[in-house]
Amino acid sequence: MSDREPAGRPPRLSRRGFLAASGAALLGAAVAGSAGNAAPGPEAVRLGDFWLFGRYDEGCTELGFDELDLAPVQLPHCVAPLSWTGWDPASWQDRWIYRRHFTASAGERHTARFDGVMTDAEVHLNGRLVATHHGGYLPFEVELPDVVAGDNVLAVVVDGRWALDIPPNLPRSPGPSVIDFYQPAGIYRTATIAAVPRIRLTDVFARPVDVLSPGRSLHLTCTLDAPVAGQVTASVRQAGRELAHGAAPVGGKSVEFDIGGLDAVRLWDVEDPALCDVVVTVRSGLRVLDQRVVRTGFRDARFTPEGFFLNGRRLKLFGLNRHQWYPFAGGALPDRVQRRDAEILRRELNCTMVRCSHYPQSTAFLDACDELGLLVWEEIPGWGHVGDDAWQRQNLADVAGMVVRDRNHPSIVVWGTRVNEANGTTAMYDRTGRLARRLDPSRPTSGALASTTGARYAGDDVEILAYNDYTARRGAPFQLRPPRPGLPYLVTETIGTLAGARAYRRTDTPGVRQQQAELHAKAHDLAAADDRYCGLLAWCAFDYPSGWQRSLGGLKYAGVSDIFRIPKPAAAFYASQVDPAARAVVEPGFAWDFTSQPSGPGPGSTIWSNCDRLLLFLDNRPAGEARTRRGDFPHLRYPPFTADLVVPKGRRPQLRIDGYVGEKLVVSRRFSGDRGSDVLSCIPDDPELRADGTDATRVVVAARDRFGTLRAGTTGVVTLELTGPGDLIGTPTLDFGATGGAAAVWLRPFAGPPSTMTLTAHHEKLGTATATIRATQNTTRS
Ligand code: GAL
């Protein structure tokens, strides 16, 4: 045991502090930690560190199992080491064991909660099976009935085999390549353990009603896990102030009541995502039995045949689909990294909506969507095919798990209760749709229909006709199907790698990379042209691992950003669709590079910008004005520009683009044609992390021109060296020849005292760059 952490070092679990706390102190703690509907209370301890892990072995769930061959790991965790490409499903298709020792006080009630285990889990406590769970995308909570004083062992058997009859797996199909994404196994989201009250509030659904009228109210449904004779009170708070409160007697296991007096509430909107906390307390006499804080937001979201309306105002939904997979770690990156994807979508790509394709995603991602004003389509796991009866029963369990976990998120505006593009099982979809509407009468249900046959299969469950529109084929002018009259109509996918090139890689020619931006801009232009389109969610935000057809080396290069979340030229179109008062944008769609184009990018080069005018300069000498492409994109809010960028062979001048709004110069960018002055950069997303053994951040390592623009097509190998107490989630070398001159790794400090980590990246021609990250004292218990 000498080279591994001693078992049982984490904090002792006890509710004594919780029960002794006064109502006010308790409330403070709870509000500070406020989160989604089913999140653990403030008493939960995160089980991040001190796990022991290995392949499943005879007896591995037993109390006295010899742990010598198990490896110490942290959560979130993926069972197999992965690269950024070429994932091999055989590496995770097995059964695995995770063991965690903990100490606790006997006689108290304990639960463990797992936010996501891929794919099936069996939980054993002190050698006894206490629970099983099917499916990799939703949380489950486990009673731990026989916790003893002193050392306890939680043993979790994780089954990552494709042969499971669990969506999206299909045991009778040839293997994981029949669906278009890989799903590596592991306890890949957070796990917590808690000493909990004897009687608990297991669920609070806070449903805003009549949001647009001053008489708006909040309908509360509170569920307990045992009958109580007492009182439930609720306080609705916004920006630290109580807006209203209410109470109701409870004489059983659930109670519903309304809270009015909410005329002063600030509505939640994509531009101003004002949230509310609802603090719910159950008392028996004067005794507090349990308390829970859920977060909600008051907004009115309506899909109509005439378009989408948020709080009574027309909003053209502008968005992308998101897969949750990352290089090296699969899905196993912590909350901060999940949240970052929402930030990229909302703040960098200006999306107002994301589709969680094709499964419920992490609560951290959804919390960030709530906070940033990013609307969400969430759907049950599945892709393209439907399984047998048992499999379809799991669809129902997934609908229930998804809706109950997430119905307090104001960002979510539709439930996808169909399996993506799996048509024809209308009877089953009637049941999934009905179940979602029973659990949440406030949101419509739908399902993304396939491009070829989809429209014929719409049933009662389809309150929005959602269509994956891949009807435009390679070579043909890009077009969308017309909206279907009489039903709200949303384009849930388009483009991908079906309308244009087979892949959009940083290593592809400038022409191919530009084509992706043109197609995305055209699709959104067409959707903007007709009010009946509620909006368009294109395929897709980030490249993703897949063995399905058209993947190259195990990756689908359909993202407007790559799998490292580094923008490709297509991202420039999205970046430019923002009010210049918020952010003035000038992003060339071309590469200012003379390696493969000795006369420059040529006539008709596109510049994505939200400015009114763009003036060009070559080596600081005026070189004309870019022309608007309004004619090509009549309906985009900010159409791009075009410029003839031809230079005499042998010259590599500096390009400057000045952007004006009215008469005012709002942005000026320079681009170097001289690769000789390129540099290596090493830029972390966050300068500071928590030293809790879980927290992590991305570091982008890239070749850039001397003004900071990515230089695609740079080759050579970057070597990475990490000093300081932490892990490099990534490989010690990055092959720029394969990634196209940019890639990323993630850094995770060890749990412990404050420290500093330094990542040094070295490239033979570009030199050396470093990133320094401080890890501060862990303030959350882990
Ligand atoms: C769609 C599918 C997506 C993705 C895309 C590929 O049919 O819904 O998940 O596979 O095709 O371009």
Side-chain angles (χ1 to χ4, degrees):
M1 295 280 288
S2 58
D3 61 341
R4 75 167 77 130
E5 293 293 340
R9 243 187 46 186
R12 203 177 147 82
L13 283 171
S14 163
R15 277 190 48 74
R16 270 194 294 274
F18 177 79
L19 289 173
S22 72
L26 190 59
L27 183 72
V31 171
S34 114
N37 192 26
E43 71 277 19
V45 172
R46 197 189 302 155
L47 298 177
D49 226 335
F50 309 114
W51 286 87
L52 297 170
F53 164 77
R55 238 170 242 275
Y56 181 86
D57 197 1
E58 200 58 37
C60 64
T61 60
E62 278 161 28
L63 197 53
F65 181 68
D66 181 352
E67 295 172 333
L68 216 56
D69 291 334
L70 300 182
V73 297
Q74 284 97 33
L75 303 189
H77 180 256
C78 175
V79 296
L82 300 167
S83 177
W84 67 276
T85 183
W87 293 5
D88 177 9
S91 67
W92 64 78
Q93 301 263 335
D94 208 339
R95 297 177 81 202
W96 309 87
I97 180 71
Y98 289 80
R99 289 172 64 94
R100 175 64 150 80
H101 291 253
F102 65 95
T103 55
S105 314
E108 297 197 54
R109 179 181 177 193
H110 291 91
T111 58
R113 179 186 158 92
F114 295 86
D115 283 337
V117 179
M118 191 68 76
T119 298
D120 274 15
E122 263 179 23
V123 182
H124 301 251
L125 175 70
N126 298 334
R128 190 156 83 83
L129 178 66
V130 290
T132 56
H133 178 79
H134 300 303
Y137 298 96
L138 287 162
F140 59 99
E141 198 166 87
V142 179
E143 287 283 335
L144 302 177
D146 296 320
V147 165
V148 295
D151 187 36
N152 291 271
V153 183
L154 202 56
V156 185
V157 178
V158 173
D159 194 339
R161 291 173 299 179
W162 175 256
L164 300 169
D165 195 19
I166 299 295
N169 297 15
L170 293 155
R172 275 171 292 282
S173 69
S177 295
V178 301
I179 67 166
D180 190 21
F181 55 95
Y182 283 144
Q183 330 162 72
I187 306 184
Y188 77 107
R189 291 183 186 155
T190 306
T192 49
I193 192 165
V196 298
R198 289 280 162 209
I199 295 176
R200 289 178 78 200
L201 264 170
T202 50
D203 184 62
V204 173
F205 178 23
R207 178 165 59 88
V209 179
D210 282 341
V211 167
L212 296 187
S213 109
R216 66 183 66 92
S217 60
L218 190 66
H219 185 77
L220 285 181
T221 309
C222 307
T223 310
L224 295 142
D225 58 2
V228 165
Q231 201 191 36
V232 174
T233 57
S235 161
V236 184
R237 310 168 72 90
Q238 192 167 52
R241 206 164 61 83
E242 180 173 275
L243 295 181
H245 59 264
V250 53
K253 282 172 75 171
S254 72
V255 59
E256 297 192 35
F257 60 104
D258 294 296
I259 301 179
L262 286 160
D263 45 322
V265 81
R266 229 168 80 216
L267 298 189
W268 185 97
D269 196 274
V270 289
E271 302 301 340
D272 178 21
L275 294 160
C276 293
D277 279 321
V278 187
V279 184
V280 179
T281 310
V282 193
R283 288 188 178 80
S284 173
L286 289 178
R287 200 156 56 94
V288 172
L289 298 180
D290 198 10
Q291 186 173 65
R292 200 178 182 92
V293 185
V294 296
R295 204 166 67 170
T296 188
F298 286 75
R299 93 285 179 278
D300 182 271
R302 265 173 224 280
F303 290 85
T304 80
E306 285 75 48
F308 176 78
F309 294 83
L310 185 63
N311 299 333
R313 183 175 59 92
R314 178 186 296 283
L315 175 69
K316 184 66 75 174
L317 297 168
F318 179 79
L320 289 160
N321 285 261
R322 178 211 184 215
H323 265 305
Q324 66 175 17
W325 314 109
Y326 295 87
F328 315 118
L333 285 171
D335 291 0
R336 181 192 298 275
V337 179
Q338 305 291 330
R339 296 177 63 90
R340 174 84 189 138
D341 272 7
E343 283 162 17
I344 291 172
L345 284 159
R346 183 75 189 101
R347 296 210 173 122
E348 295 174 18
L349 303 177
N350 301 309
C351 291
T352 50
M353 187 163 182
V354 60
R355 173 166 171 237
C356 294
S357 51
H358 301 292
Y359 37 76
Q361 302 190 354
S362 83
T363 304
F365 177 76
L366 296 172
D367 283 344
C369 292
D370 290 345
E371 291 159 25
L372 293 162
L374 181 60
L375 297 164
V376 177
W377 162 304
E378 192 177 32
E379 68 192 24
I380 54 172
W383 192 91
H385 318 272
V386 172
D388 60 13
D389 286 354
W391 195 95
Q392 293 185 28
R393 275 197 295 280
Q394 185 64 35
N395 284 159
L396 285 165
D398 288 340
V399 166
M402 170 177 82
V403 174
V404 171
R405 186 190 73 163
D406 291 332
R407 57 192 169 175
N408 287 325
H409 288 283
S411 57
I412 296 177
V413 288
V414 50
W415 300 119
T417 51
R418 289 185 165 216
V419 171
N420 173 62
E421 291 195 350
N423 306 324
T425 52
T426 317
M428 194 263 287
Y429 293 140
D430 280 347
R431 287 203 296 278
T432 56
R434 261 202 316 273
L435 176 61
R437 290 194 296 274
R438 183 167 66 71
L439 294 169
D440 174 16
S442 69
R443 290 176 178 87
T445 60
S446 187
L449 303 171
S451 50
T452 45
T453 50
R456 277 190 274 132
Y457 286 98
D460 286 348
D461 59 306
V462 174
E463 295 175 275
I464 302 160
L465 190 76
Y467 198 57
N468 292 352
D469 189 342
Y470 289 105
T471 41
R473 290 288 153 172
R474 272 182 240 291
F478 187 84
Q479 55 184 341
L480 291 176
R481 283 201 171 199
R484 179 140 143 204
L487 266 179
Y489 189 90
L490 176 70
V491 181
T492 29
E493 290 182 31
T494 187
I495 308 167
T497 47
L498 293 170
R502 182 175 173 206
Y504 295 105
R505 289 166 297 194
R506 212 174 289 286
T507 50
D508 285 314
T509 61
V512 165
R513 294 188 290 127
Q514 284 162 41
Q515 180 195 57
Q516 194 191 18
E518 292 282 321
L519 288 169
H520 279 259
K522 194 70 216 166
H524 284 288
D525 182 69
L526 292 172
D530 187 331
D531 278 350
R532 294 171 303 161
Y533 290 106
C534 289
L536 181 138
L537 314 175
W539 191 262
C540 60
F542 311 116
D543 293 348
Y544 56 97
S546 165
W548 194 60
Q549 48 173 279
R550 296 188 196 89
S551 64
L552 291 174
L555 265 193
K556 284 297 279 292
Y557 293 93
V560 301
S561 295
D562 65 20
I563 192 170
F564 303 105
R565 280 60 179 158
I566 303 170
K568 301 180 196 174
F573 153 65
Y574 286 89
S576 68
Q577 300 304 298
V578 64
D579 186 338
R583 238 178 348 268
V585 177
V586 165
E587 285 292 344
F590 51 83
W592 189 245
D593 187 18
F594 300 88
T595 321
S596 63
Q597 38 186 31
S599 311
S605 294
T606 297
I607 305 169
W608 302 97
S609 175
N610 52 3
C611 296
D612 295 341
R613 290 172 65 214
L614 299 180
L615 300 187
L616 308 172
F617 302 82
L618 291 175
D619 282 337
N620 285 324
R621 277 191 290 278
E625 183 170 342
R627 305 178 299 280
T628 177
R629 291 186 63 195
R630 171 56 80 201
D632 297 333
F633 300 100
H635 307 285
L636 285 185
R637 189 156 171 219
Y638 302 104
F641 292 79
T642 183
D644 299 328
L645 293 167
V646 184
V647 301
K649 281 199 180 117
R651 280 195 57 205
R652 294 166 179 214
Q654 184 196 105
L655 170 67
R656 193 176 102 210
I657 308 175
D658 286 355
Y660 287 81
V661 171
E663 293 308 307
K664 193 165 170 231
L665 175 68
V666 287
V667 54
S668 177
R669 290 197 59 193
R670 288 183 292 168
F671 305 90
S672 169
D674 171 21
R675 278 184 174 249
S677 57
D678 285 359
V679 293
L680 187 67
S681 69
C682 190
I683 304 174
D685 285 342
D686 303 274
E688 197 168 294
L689 298 175
R690 286 187 310 277
D692 63 1
T694 291
D695 201 10
T697 194
R698 175 180 72 153
V699 182
V700 174
V701 181
R704 295 181 192 267
D705 79 0
R706 65 195 178 91
F707 302 112
T709 297
L710 293 174
R711 181 78 79 187
T714 303
T715 55
V717 169
V718 174
T719 52
L720 299 173
E721 198 191 315
L722 178 65
T723 56
D727 281 325
L728 173 72
I729 304 175
T731 40
T733 59
L734 296 169
D735 178 3
F736 269 4
T739 64
V745 293
W746 283 258
L747 299 187
R748 178 175 59 197
F750 296 146
S755 62
T756 299
M757 300 167 75
T758 303
L759 183 73
T760 305
H762 181 75
H763 180 277
E764 202 185 20
K765 291 212 180 92
L766 301 172
T768 300
T770 59
T772 301
I773 289 169
R774 285 186 310 283
T776 58
Q777 194 74 39
N778 178 20
T779 47
T780 62
R781 290 176 293 164
S782 147

